[in-house]
């Protein structure tokens, strides 16, 4: 196992439990971005109507860095939608991804019910879930794992905080632009899915029923020997979510004005 193995147990979670990931809310507010966010908000309204639990499995923001007293303003419509569904009783859990690791108390205390800086696990209706954003798992990602250690270090974050936000965000924009290429060849996607299947099987052997990951921008629900691997897709081209109804976990494609 090469991935992070820390797990935190969540309290009981109301059903249904929804999982989404890789929304990559953009810093630039183009018309297409507003349109895309509206589709996401329709989904959130649906979650608000059904009630239950929402798990956001990383890379919610394309770039996010929070200062002691300052948060990015471009995401205000999103903050508003989250606070609305929480007011309706939905609990929102957030696992940070590689694009949005740099959170502080606005995210951890004010916006979400609970935020996780690493993999997490929980039980619901007799099923065991292992939830990871999924970055750093691939055997050929050694260089990235080293980089991740540095950019997540307290020293790096402390230093970055002293850069003026205009410069800090310009840099963030540049970095996220470099990683903009999310569509991979079928062959590469297959290699990823095969490798994540090995990790999922390890977890299933430990007694988990579902292994849920984001990050890879492919949508897959794979039945394994004793459970399932779900790769959550994204909200850039797939508009996918997984839903656990108390019995099974299934991947769905959100369609505009869906009312299921
Ligand atoms: Mn990611």
């Amino acid at each position: 196992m090469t991935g992070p193995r820390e797990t935190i147990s969540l309290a009981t979670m109301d059903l249904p439990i929804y999982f989404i990931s890789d929304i990559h809310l953009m810093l630039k507010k183009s018309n297409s971005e507003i349109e895309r966010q509206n589709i996401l908000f329709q989904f959130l309204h649906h979650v608000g109507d059904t009630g239950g639990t929402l798990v956001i499995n990383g890379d919610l923001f394309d770039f996010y860095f929070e200062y002691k007293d300052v948060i990015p303003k471009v995401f205000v419509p999103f903050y508003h939608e989250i606070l609305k569904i929480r007011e309706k009783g939905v609990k929102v859990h957030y696992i940070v991804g590689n694009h949005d690791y740099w959170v502080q108390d606005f995210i951890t205390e004010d916006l979400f019910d609970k935020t996780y800086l690493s993999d997490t696990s929980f039980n619901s209706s007799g099923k065991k879930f292992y939830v990871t954003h999924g970055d750093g798992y691939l055997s050929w990602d050694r260089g990235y794992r080293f980089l991740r250690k540095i950019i997540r270090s307290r020293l790096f974050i402390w230093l970055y905080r002293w850069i003026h936000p205009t410069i800090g965000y310009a840099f963030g924009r540049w970095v996220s632009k470099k990683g903009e290429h999310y569509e991979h060849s079928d062959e590469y996607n297959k290699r990823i899915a095969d490798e994540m299947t090995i990790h999922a099987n390890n977890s299933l052997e430990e007694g988990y029923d579902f292994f849920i990951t984001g990050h890879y921008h492919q949508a897959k629900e794979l039945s394994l020997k004793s459970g399932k691997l779900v790769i959550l897709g994204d909200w850039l081209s797939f508009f996918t979510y997984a839903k656990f109804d108390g019995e099974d976990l299934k991947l769905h494609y959100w369609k505009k004005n869906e009312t299921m």
Side-chain angles (χ1 to χ4, degrees):
M1 201 76 192
T2 49
R5 297 292 291 150
E6 279 173 71
T7 63
I8 313 158
S9 287
L10 310 187
T12 7
M13 294 161 93
D14 288 343
L15 296 173
I17 306 173
Y18 298 93
F19 299 85
I20 57 173
S21 81
D22 296 274
I23 296 132
H24 289 264
L25 295 173
M26 299 292 170
L27 293 174
K28 197 167 176 263
K29 241 183 178 171
S30 62
N31 287 340
S32 65
E33 177 63 10
I34 292 168
E35 165 107 352
R36 191 173 76 89
Q37 291 193 13
N38 280 334
I39 299 171
L40 173 72
F41 296 165
Q42 283 174 16
F43 170 74
L44 294 178
H45 298 163
H46 171 71
V47 173
D49 290 342
T50 66
T53 308
L54 175 66
V55 179
I56 301 176
N57 196 8
D59 288 358
L60 163 61
F61 307 104
D62 201 50
F63 178 73
Y64 184 93
F65 188 93
E66 187 175 327
Y67 301 83
K68 187 170 169 287
D69 297 295
V70 180
I71 57 168
K73 67 183 179 189
V74 67
F75 307 126
V76 165
F78 174 79
Y79 306 147
H80 177 64
E81 296 295 337
I82 289 297
L83 295 174
K84 271 195 333 205
I85 62 169
R86 285 188 60 201
E87 227 161 68
K88 286 179 138 185
V90 173
K91 294 269 189 300
V92 185
H93 297 265
Y94 172 48
I95 294 136
V96 300
N98 52 307
H99 281 252
D100 50 10
Y101 177 82
W102 300 273
V103 298
Q104 287 205 55
D105 56 308
F106 170 68
I107 290 287
T108 60
E109 306 296 324
D110 300 327
L111 191 62
F112 297 115
D113 288 281
K114 213 160 174 195
T115 298
Y116 309 87
L117 298 178
S118 62
D119 295 6
T120 187
S121 63
F122 64 89
N123 297 312
S124 176
S125 307
K127 301 285 185 190
K128 272 184 93 178
F129 295 74
Y130 188 93
V131 189
T132 178
H133 176 62
D135 60 304
Y137 268 78
L138 303 177
S139 54
W140 58 90
D141 262 357
R142 228 166 260 129
Y144 166 70
R145 279 193 288 277
F146 178 68
L147 176 73
R148 185 173 69 170
K149 266 199 188 120
I150 295 170
I151 62 178
R152 291 187 174 191
S153 68
R154 286 169 73 170
L155 177 67
F156 177 88
I157 294 168
W158 183 84
L159 288 170
Y160 203 89
R161 205 171 291 147
W162 291 103
I163 301 171
H164 190 278
T166 303
I167 297 164
Y169 267 78
F171 183 69
R173 220 171 256 133
W174 179 74
V175 170
S176 62
K177 213 175 185 140
K178 287 192 87 165
E180 216 167 49
H181 184 68
Y182 296 122
E183 277 157 41
H184 302 306
S185 68
D186 290 349
E187 196 193 335
Y188 188 63
N189 277 337
K190 169 98 174 43
R191 254 180 93 197
I192 290 168
D194 286 349
E195 185 136 343
M196 291 314 284
T197 299
I198 296 169
H199 292 295
N201 271 326
N202 287 340
S203 289
L204 299 189
E205 262 166 39
E206 286 170 24
Y208 289 96
D209 298 285
F210 302 113
F211 185 98
I212 303 163
T213 182
H215 185 62
Y216 294 108
H217 296 267
Q218 55 174 307
K220 276 209 171 90
E221 179 189 318
L222 296 169
S223 290
L224 308 176
K225 271 174 286 174
S226 59
K228 264 183 189 174
L229 161 65
V230 172
I231 309 179
L232 285 169
D234 64 29
W235 282 71
L236 290 159
S237 54
F238 293 103
F239 298 89
T240 32
Y241 64 99
K243 184 179 170 186
F244 177 66
D245 57 8
E247 284 175 20
D248 201 3
L249 178 73
K250 284 187 183 137
L251 195 64
H252 300 266
Y253 287 79
W254 177 254
K255 289 171 203 79
K256 256 190 193 177
N257 305 316
E258 189 169 354
T259 49
M260 55 163 284

